[in-house]
Amino acid sequence: MCVRSRTGCVVPELTVRVARACNPHGTTAMAIRDHLNGLWSDEDFEEWYPRDGKPGLSPAQLATVSVLQFLLELSDRQAAESVRNRIDFKYAMGMELEDPGFHHSVLADFRERLAVEGRADKLLNLVLEKLRAVGSGSAAGSAPTPPTSWPRSAI
């Protein structure tokens, strides 16, 4: 499997309109998109996947689902079902409303790739660098120091 071009860089207009109409005050998933969009791109994950082969799902979108899954305490099945059925998840991932989502096993595969030595820390460092660049660090102007290794339960 190789990385395919990400389709979720821009939220489709219909998805935006319906999500905002259904959730005028927003949801956790919508806040993740609104505040964390752009923290990672598929290019940040290229070394995790072979260059040839059948195109896979967007790893940047899978990372977004993984964050939502952790925050909302969802199982893999629940997270995949949320991507398939919830408008706010489609908004967070930049998906068309008609997009059928993916099988729940894809999340376990993504976590296996994340668990490879140093990848989780590298991804966290990338996010912290981008947060610092936009001024979202701590009151002193710097982001917190990342852990030397994430607990297995976090990945």
Side-chain angles (χ1 to χ4, degrees):
M1 174 186 336
C2 64
V3 175
R4 76 174 179 194
S5 298
R6 183 174 181 201
T7 58
C9 293
V10 176
V11 182
E13 182 58 36
L14 181 59
T15 304
V16 172
R17 284 197 329 260
V18 173
R20 296 274 181 228
C22 293
N23 303 290
H25 300 292
T27 66
T28 299
M30 293 170 72
I32 292 293
R33 175 65 186 214
D34 293 341
H35 299 289
L36 299 182
N37 182 39
L39 286 182
W40 38 64
S41 66
D42 285 340
E43 291 77 27
D44 297 323
F45 301 88
E46 281 181 337
E47 67 186 43
W48 298 19
Y49 296 87
R51 294 194 187 278
D52 56 359
K54 181 181 175 186
L57 297 167
S58 161
Q61 287 179 315
L62 292 173
T64 301
V65 172
S66 297
V67 168
L68 290 169
Q69 181 181 11
F70 175 77
L71 289 174
L72 300 175
E73 300 179 4
L74 302 174
S75 69
D76 287 352
R77 286 181 191 269
Q78 291 170 323
E81 185 176 310
S82 294
V83 170
R84 193 170 36 260
N85 297 323
R86 289 180 54 172
I87 295 167
D88 60 337
F89 269 60
K90 291 187 183 289
Y91 176 91
M93 294 181 60
M95 297 169 69
E96 296 285 346
L97 295 176
E98 302 87 11
D99 194 307
F102 51 82
H103 192 267
H104 65 88
S105 63
V106 171
L107 293 170
D109 178 60
F110 181 75
R111 278 194 306 278
E112 283 181 25
R113 292 177 190 274
L114 182 62
V116 170
E117 184 67 34
R119 287 181 175 171
D121 290 336
K122 181 179 176 184
L123 193 57
L124 178 61
N125 286 330
L126 175 68
V127 170
L128 292 174
E129 286 175 25
K130 291 183 178 184
L131 285 171
R132 284 185 195 112
V134 296
S136 296
S138 67
S142 64
T145 304
T148 55
S149 65
W150 287 9
R152 194 91 179 122
S153 61
I155 56 174

